[in-house]
Amino acid sequence: MRDVQAGRLAWTEVDLIDIEDGSARPLRDALEVFGVRVNYLRIGQPRHLVAALDGNRPIAPYVIVCCHGDEGRILIPELAEELARFQPFNGALGPDRIRQYFRLPGSVVVATGCDTGDPALADAFLDAGARVYIAPREAPFGYASVFAPLFLFYELTERRTLEEAVERLRAHDGELAMWQLYQR
């Protein structure tokens, strides 16, 4: 933030992936207040998600996936058959598809969906090149999934390490304690 106060346009960059989640737009506004350049990517089809994270475009140092999750998978809205046949996949996004389609060289990935902190999903993101993966192991209340990335970036803006920021996040309360940091 001090760099931004000194004239830089941003101190870091985030690819904000909005998979039909109401928290992405307010999160974008708040991150920009923190001096973060936000690339807002609204996902309407699986092929949009693949295009956003397959590595054929520069991936930001931070990727926030605003989504719903269930049983260690990211939920993608099912499409009508006439659209689905043109997609690389249809339905939920699990570990195998992440390994197949994503390339996240050195990025820190934060997922907001319920149960997206599953170790198998985390391993898939790390296998796809993410340096760190952060997500809830259980099902936090919806507002906790908005607050967690905000809290995390507040801590980073205050020049805490990623590990310190996640530790402080987890210590805040029971809803945020379910967020896990995975790295190799």
Side-chain angles (χ1 to χ4, degrees), residues 93-120:
L93 179 67
D96 291 342
R97 290 179 176 158
I98 289 167
R99 284 184 184 94
Q100 181 179 2
Y101 294 112
F102 292 1
R103 300 296 170 263
L104 305 156
S107 293
V108 172
V109 177
V110 179
T112 64
C114 295
D115 299 320
T116 54
D118 181 83

Side-chain angles (χ1 to χ4, degrees), residues 14 19 22 48 53 100 112 134 141 148:
V14 168
I19 306 174
H48 296 155
L53 299 176
Q100 181 179 2
T112 64
I134 303 166
F141 287 123

Side-chain angles (χ1 to χ4, degrees), residues 2-139:
R2 282 134 192 95
D3 293 340
V4 173
Q5 291 169 340
R8 285 187 62 193
L9 294 176
W11 65 269
T12 195
E13 185 176 355
V14 168
D15 285 340
L16 182 61
I17 309 298
D18 182 357
I19 306 174
E20 291 198 3
D21 182 77
S23 66
R25 285 187 175 274
L27 183 57
R28 175 188 186 175
D29 291 342
L31 290 172
E32 288 174 345
V33 169
F34 289 159
V36 175
R37 179 180 301 118
V38 178
N39 305 312
Y40 178 78
L41 303 166
R42 188 174 179 120
I43 304 302
Q45 303 174 27
R47 66 181 169 188
H48 296 155
L49 184 59
V50 171
L53 299 176
D54 67 1
N56 286 323
R57 57 174 278 283
I59 305 296
Y62 295 92
V63 175
I64 301 175
V65 182
C66 291
C67 62
H68 296 285
D70 186 39
E71 298 179 358
R73 298 171 304 143
I74 294 172
L75 300 180
I76 309 290
E78 298 250 351
L79 297 173
E81 186 176 323
E82 51 276 358
L83 283 176
R85 64 185 166 162
F86 299 107
Q87 306 300 319
F89 63 89
N90 196 24
L93 179 67
D96 291 342
R97 290 179 176 158
I98 289 167
R99 284 184 184 94
Q100 181 179 2
Y101 294 112
F102 292 1
R103 300 296 170 263
L104 305 156
S107 293
V108 172
V109 177
V110 179
T112 64
C114 295
D115 299 320
T116 54
D118 181 83
L121 195 64
D123 282 341
F125 274 99
L126 296 173
D127 288 346
R131 179 174 61 89
V132 174
Y133 180 74
I134 303 166
R137 293 263 333 242
E138 298 173 40

Side-chain angles (χ1 to χ4, degrees), residues 129-170:
R131 179 174 61 89
V132 174
Y133 180 74
I134 303 166
R137 293 263 333 242
E138 298 173 40
F141 287 123
Y143 54 81
S145 290
V146 176
F147 184 66
L150 286 177
F151 188 100
L152 182 70
F153 274 87
Y154 171 81
E155 295 294 321
L156 295 173
T157 300
E158 289 298 309
R159 297 186 175 182
R160 290 185 181 70
T161 67
L162 189 59
E163 291 78 8
E164 290 170 332
V166 171
E167 184 178 315
R168 291 172 65 96
L169 171 76
R170 291 178 42 80

